[in-house]
Amino acid sequence: MSSTARSADAPASSCCGSKSRAERKTGRRRWRAGGGRANAPENHSGDAAMTTRIAFIGLGNMGGGMAANQAKAGHAVAAFDLSQAALDRAKAAGCAPVGSVAEAVKDADVVITMLPAGPHVLKVYSEQIIGAAPTSALLLDCSTIDVDTARKVAGLARDAGYAFADAPVSGGTMAADAGTLAFMVGCDEPDFARIEAALEPMSRATFRAGDHGAGQAAKICNNMILGITMLGTCEAIGLAEKLGLDPVKMFDIVAKSSGQSWSVTTYYPWPGPVPTAPSNRNYDGGFAAAMMLKDLKLAQDAAAKSGASTPLGAQTEALFQMFNGLGYGGRDFSAILQMLRGKLDDLPKE
């Protein structure tokens, strides 16, 4: 149960149901009337009555950092994953590892899941969370899955008396570790204040995209943009190199010109200009190409069902399918640059 891609900084907008991180500081400790417990105070006094009990299911590259930030906020985090190594990391970060989903959720105020795909989410909620967690618990699925499955899980939760939200994230592993993710939430409007408070230790910005499923719709569209812009960035770098330009100098120019994007300024796929980018560690970590391919497939499936025209999205999916099929799905998605350059022999597959 381990699963990523961050959007460009977006201004907070009340029409989108979002507040800035600074604005949320003032009221973040309050739950909506009739909701869960108050969050722990900043001084972590140790008063059990003031500690929110979090069940966190799925401690992969993203979930591990997210769970750690809930623990840093003073919450009691019961953490579960199928990987013992992930459980060990969670324990070192202040979480309490447990042996099953049922054990994690049994006394939870908030249940947060971060799982690989729709079938995992449906199975875990229908068989292990709904009915095992108190009906007072807030259920938050932060996985990236298809809209139909998100709505199905929401319906199961609603029928059983739970408040539920699909709340996928943008920001990648760096933001997960830093607690600066962007959340796109699909939920019943009256539940949003409570959801925003629960997500705050992990969040830079939280947006209510609409009703159930809308969070997943927003995430799918966001990541299609990301895949397309990263592919365009890599193509341009490859062309610049062939034309005799230094890709580092190209960064200096594009970062201040009309070609600027998140893929350039935050995640540049050539080593050097952005020290934190995976390109500086041989494309290890970050947002796996296989996960980008999954998201692009979700976008193409949604486009087919809705009748939307997405030719660039389709071509981007095809190229990431090729890259993944060659055995490089475990590398960061920006490593597709090396396929376009014809340099795959220099790129480890694992």
Side-chain angles (χ1 to χ4, degrees):
M1 292 184 183
S2 304
S3 131
T4 157
R6 180 185 176 189
S7 60
D9 289 352
S13 169
S14 58
C15 69
C16 297
S18 173
K19 301 175 187 176
S20 70
R21 190 176 179 87
E23 289 172 329
R24 291 197 312 274
K25 293 286 186 181
T26 304
R28 68 183 183 176
R29 301 303 173 194
R30 303 188 186 95
W31 291 91
R32 179 175 62 86
R37 300 166 182 265
N39 290 358
E42 288 294 336
N43 63 7
H44 310 326
S45 65
D47 181 352
M50 294 295 289
T51 300
T52 300
R53 295 173 296 198
I54 308 287
F56 207 108
I57 315 301
L59 305 168
N61 290 338
M62 295 294 294
M66 293 164 68
N69 278 306
Q70 290 286 355
K72 288 176 186 176
H75 304 318
V77 181
F80 177 74
D81 194 280
L82 294 176
S83 164
Q84 185 59 50
L87 290 172
D88 292 343
R89 289 191 293 270
K91 183 176 181 179
C95 303
V98 296
S100 68
V101 172
E103 185 179 356
V105 305
K106 65 180 181 179
D107 296 316
D109 299 311
V110 180
V111 177
I112 302 172
T113 51
M114 192 62 164
L115 303 171
H120 305 94
V121 172
L122 180 58
K123 182 178 179 64
V124 168
Y125 273 92
S126 62
E127 297 180 9
Q128 300 178 68
I129 294 176
I130 293 173
T135 54
S136 59
L138 175 63
L139 310 182
L140 304 175
D141 179 43
C142 296
S143 319
T144 297
I145 63 173
D146 60 286
V147 174
D148 289 344
T149 298
R151 288 174 177 162
K152 183 172 183 178
V153 174
L156 293 172
R158 182 191 296 114
D159 291 346
Y162 294 90
F164 173 86
D166 50 290
V169 306
S170 180
T173 55
M174 292 182 293
D177 292 342
T180 56
L181 291 165
F183 287 84
M184 292 154 270
V185 178
C187 67
D188 290 332
E189 195 281 332
D191 292 329
F192 181 67
R194 184 182 175 197
I195 292 163
E196 188 176 31
L199 295 174
E200 197 281 332
M202 309 177 291
S203 171
R204 166 180 57 81
T206 300
F207 301 91
R208 181 175 181 266
D211 294 332
H212 292 113
Q216 296 298 345
K219 175 61 185 289
I220 290 168
C221 293
N222 180 80
N223 275 24
M224 186 173 73
I225 293 171
L226 177 64
I228 292 168
T229 56
M230 179 56 76
L231 187 61
T233 299
C234 291
E235 287 187 355
I237 290 171
L239 175 60
E241 183 183 23
K242 290 289 188 182
L243 294 174
L245 293 172
D246 178 0
V248 174
K249 178 59 67 176
M250 190 67 184
F251 169 84
D252 294 336
I253 295 168
V254 175
K256 296 292 191 295
S257 302
S258 57
Q260 186 274 334
S261 69
W262 185 90
S263 295
V264 171
T265 55
T266 302
Y267 223 79
Y268 198 60
W270 189 277
V274 180
T276 55
S279 54
N280 294 290
R281 9 178 233 279
N282 211 10
Y283 306 97
D284 186 33
F287 184 26
M291 299 304 293
M292 172 53 79
L293 177 61
K294 182 199 82 167
D295 292 355
L296 290 167
K297 285 182 177 296
L298 288 172
Q300 288 308 293
D301 289 346
K305 289 178 181 178
S306 65
S309 177
T310 56
L312 290 178
Q315 188 61 44
T316 302
E317 181 206 354
L319 287 167
F320 273 99
Q321 181 69 66
M322 182 186 299
F323 186 62
N324 193 68
L326 290 170
Y328 297 95
R331 295 286 105 186
D332 181 76
F333 80 115
S334 62
I336 199 169
L337 168 65
Q338 303 307 331
M339 184 179 80
L340 299 175
R341 295 177 66 228
K343 299 289 186 180
L344 283 179
D345 289 345
D346 300 332
L347 184 65
K349 291 187 178 182
E350 297 296 336

